[in-house]
Amino acid sequence: MNITPCSIKTLKGLYDISGVEVGQHFYWQIGGFQIHAQVLITSWVVITILLGSVIIAVRNPQTIPTDGQNFFEYVLEFIRDLSKTQIGEEYGPWVPFIGTMFLFIFVSNWSGALLPWKIIELPHGELAAPTNDINTTVALALLTSAAYFYAGLSKKGLSYFEKYIKPTPILLPINILEDFTKPLSLSFRLFGNILADELVVVVLVSLVPLVVPIPVMFLGLFTSGIQALIFATLAAAYIGESMEGHH
Amino acid sequence: MATALMAAATTSCSPRRAAPLLKPMASSSSSPSSARARRPLAQQLPRLLATAAAAVAAAPLPALAEQMEKAALFDFNLTLPAIATEFLLLMVALDKLYFTPLGKFMDERDAKIRGELGDVKDASEEVKQLEEQAAAIMKAARAEIAAALNKMKKETTAELEAKLDEGRRRVEAELVEALANLEAQKEEAVKALDAQIASLSDEIVKKVLPSA
């Protein structure tokens, strides 16, 4: 009977390292508004990683690409391909939006899985992937909504709103509802997946600290990548949908 | 949430508190089996459970409730516009540093490669043209050579014939001359013979007709 308490104590020690604090935030006050500092800090790290690697790799493009440039050319072709498939021939102006969406979410998700945020201790809450916070995912989803409205309005003008009574005016409520469900599903899908992934890893680590969580961690990396791809693809699909003519 | 439960478990099962509870159990099991000794264990079991339950109930639930209160999963605040702004800035920066320059570079390279491939195709046409030209030149040269050969043959033949003619003519002339010479010699010989014949006949007559 002595074994159990001791192992529980050890587990608790491990748990304190790997413990998850759901919904705990490290608050900053900015002009009377509260802000989740841990999200801001990790997003800065993500942005630094993105901009830094891009600057290093693409600073001086060669006709025969070097390793880094080759990688970023591959990424760019991938993003262009994705945008072209979803938006069509007029995909050009939307490449930066879709590309930034994909890269930001992808690097954020993987940073949550790969970077040892736990080393840096915060007074309250903990550092995790920026996409682990509902504010981030909702911000991205709302930007996507704004983007597809802008795309539709700039392409078709006010006749864009005709799509609400197509194919029949009976569908008007559902069509209006769609504008709300789109950002809702986008943000909650990403938020839920990343949060659940990190929770599963943390709980498994707390239960069995060695070996067992590794497959789940790899699964988490896979899920993170897929989620970034899904978000970018859906954003592109929405933009393409609002730009295409229903004639 | 899980932290609180775990904390409760460790506090209730810490060796310090578990030790006194274990003592009677150990003594009872070591003592020979008797109804009296077994009873305390049976009585203590519910008490044991009760203390554990009390520990779990007393310590973790307020903590749990407190944590549940503090836990704010759907806590919307300034973070949302901040992240949106950050995203837009990142988009502009990435566009300036990555998408536009590298995209332009790649397009230019594609265009260049395509142009060079087109040039190569043009070059093959040029090669074909050159080959045709070369064939035409060869043909012309052959025709020229054949013409020159023919001409030369004709010239040579004419020359030869001329020489042959000349030779024949000379031979004929010589022949005529020789014949003429022969004729003259013959005539001379005949003349000489005529004169000799007269004298000879005179002498014959003198000899045959002596002093006649």
Side-chain angles (χ1 to χ4, degrees):
Chain A
M1 271 193 93
N2 255 334
I3 298 161
T4 329
C6 287
S7 67
I8 284 177
K9 266 209 153 175
T10 346
L11 267 182
K12 186 178 173 354
L14 280 168
Y15 194 82
D16 284 339
I17 302 170
S18 61
V20 70
E21 301 171 42
V22 182
Q24 303 293 301
H25 302 295
F26 173 38
Y27 288 101
W28 278 350
Q29 293 278 344
I30 294 175
F33 294 102
Q34 284 194 319
I35 198 160
H36 294 165
Q38 87 273 16
V39 178
L40 275 197
I41 293 167
T42 46
S43 72
W44 291 340
V45 173
V46 167
I47 288 172
T48 315
I49 290 172
L50 270 176
L51 288 183
S53 53
V54 161
I55 287 170
I56 290 169
V58 191
R59 180 187 38 195
N60 184 21
Q62 306 291 317
T63 309
I64 298 166
T66 50
D67 293 345
Q69 189 194 337
N70 207 358
F71 175 72
F72 277 98
E73 281 187 14
Y74 171 72
V75 172
L76 182 55
E77 288 207 344
F78 173 75
I79 292 165
R80 280 181 163 185
D81 204 39
L82 191 153
S83 319
K84 201 175 180 180
T85 324
Q86 301 297 336
I87 299 178
E89 281 310 311
E90 295 172 41
Y91 72 98
W94 292 103
V95 165
F97 182 77
I98 306 294
T100 313
M101 198 58 99
F102 175 74
L103 289 176
F104 182 71
I105 295 174
F106 186 79
V107 177
S108 293
N109 292 352
W110 273 38
S111 81
L114 295 178
L115 294 185
W117 294 118
K118 276 278 173 181
I119 290 172
I120 306 157
E121 212 160 294
L122 293 181
H124 193 71
E126 61 176 7
L127 293 174
T131 37
N132 201 357
D133 192 287
I134 190 81
N135 285 287
T136 312
T137 60
V138 169
L140 298 180
L142 287 180
L143 282 175
T144 306
S145 293
Y148 79 69
F149 267 101
Y150 170 75
L153 287 173
S154 64
K155 178 89 186 291
K156 300 183 197 164
L158 284 178
S159 64
Y160 166 70
F161 292 108
E162 280 172 15
K163 76 159 188 174
Y164 285 106
I165 51 165
K166 276 177 185 174
T168 150
I170 300 166
L171 289 178
L172 178 67
I174 291 174
N175 282 333
I176 291 174
L177 205 61
E178 222 176 32
D179 280 331
F180 293 95
T181 54
K182 275 174 183 173
L184 206 67
S185 66
L186 271 183
S187 55
F188 273 74
R189 181 183 308 112
L190 183 58
F191 172 63
N193 269 290
I194 302 309
L195 187 70
D197 166 46
E198 297 202 347
L199 274 180
V200 165
V201 169
V202 160
V203 167
L204 262 186
V205 165
S206 70
L207 290 177
V208 191
L210 294 175
V211 183
V212 177
I214 291 174
V216 182
M217 288 174 177
F218 277 108
L219 184 69
L221 285 183
F222 178 69
T223 320
S224 304
I226 291 289
Q227 286 309 317
L229 180 63
I230 287 176
F231 201 110
T233 311
L234 281 179
Y238 294 156
I239 291 168
E241 192 183 311
S242 64
M243 279 170 80
E244 78 179 359
H246 285 288
H247 308 302
Chain B
M1 203 161 82
T3 327
L5 280 171
M6 200 63 88
T10 36
T11 45
S12 63
C13 296
S14 66
R16 228 182 307 129
R17 223 185 271 176
L21 289 171
L22 283 173
K23 256 184 195 166
M25 282 170 72
S27 61
S28 68
S29 61
S30 63
S31 68
S33 59
S34 66
R36 223 183 253 175
R38 227 178 279 148
R39 208 181 300 142
L41 179 62
Q43 284 172 346
Q44 273 172 356
L45 254 177
R47 218 201 299 163
L48 240 171
L49 287 173
T51 38
V56 168
L61 279 184
L64 202 68
E66 195 188 354
Q67 277 205 326
M68 292 277 271
E69 262 172 50
K70 276 196 291 178
L73 268 184
F74 303 105
D75 182 23
F76 291 104
N77 52 23
L78 194 62
T79 319
L80 198 155
I83 291 288
T85 319
E86 270 185 17
F87 178 85
L88 290 177
L89 290 177
L90 178 68
M91 186 173 87
V92 171
L94 277 184
D95 187 31
K96 288 272 175 295
L97 289 171
Y98 176 27
F99 296 121
T100 305
L102 194 64
K104 206 173 141 203
F105 180 79
M106 282 162 69
D107 289 346
E108 275 170 7
R109 188 174 51 194
D110 275 4
K112 198 175 154 198
I113 289 172
R114 214 162 287 145
E116 273 173 15
L117 276 177
D119 283 357
V120 167
K121 262 179 207 158
D122 285 356
S124 69
E125 267 172 32
E126 208 173 299
V127 164
K128 211 179 274 174
Q129 266 184 358
L130 281 179
E131 270 175 2
E132 275 169 17
Q133 223 171 315
I137 288 174
M138 287 290 280
K139 211 173 160 188
R142 251 183 226 131
E144 205 176 312
I145 287 171
L149 215 62
N150 272 349
K151 195 179 162 197
M152 206 185 251
K153 226 183 251 171
K154 260 181 216 160
E155 271 174 15
T156 322
T157 322
E159 206 174 313
L160 278 177
E161 267 171 18
K163 269 185 189 169
L164 214 62
D165 271 359
E166 199 185 331
R168 210 178 283 151
R169 237 177 278 136
R170 205 192 304 155
V171 168
E172 272 173 18
E174 275 174 12
L175 201 65
V176 168
E177 201 181 329
L179 281 176
N181 275 354
L182 274 177
E183 202 74 18
Q185 277 176 6
K186 201 173 114 187
E187 273 175 26
E188 260 176 51
V190 170
K191 263 180 213 165
L193 273 179
D194 276 351
Q196 277 178 343
I197 286 170
S199 63
L200 268 176
S201 55
D202 279 353
E203 275 180 26
I204 291 168
V205 168
K206 273 177 195 172
K207 272 183 183 173
V208 174
L209 301 168
S211 48

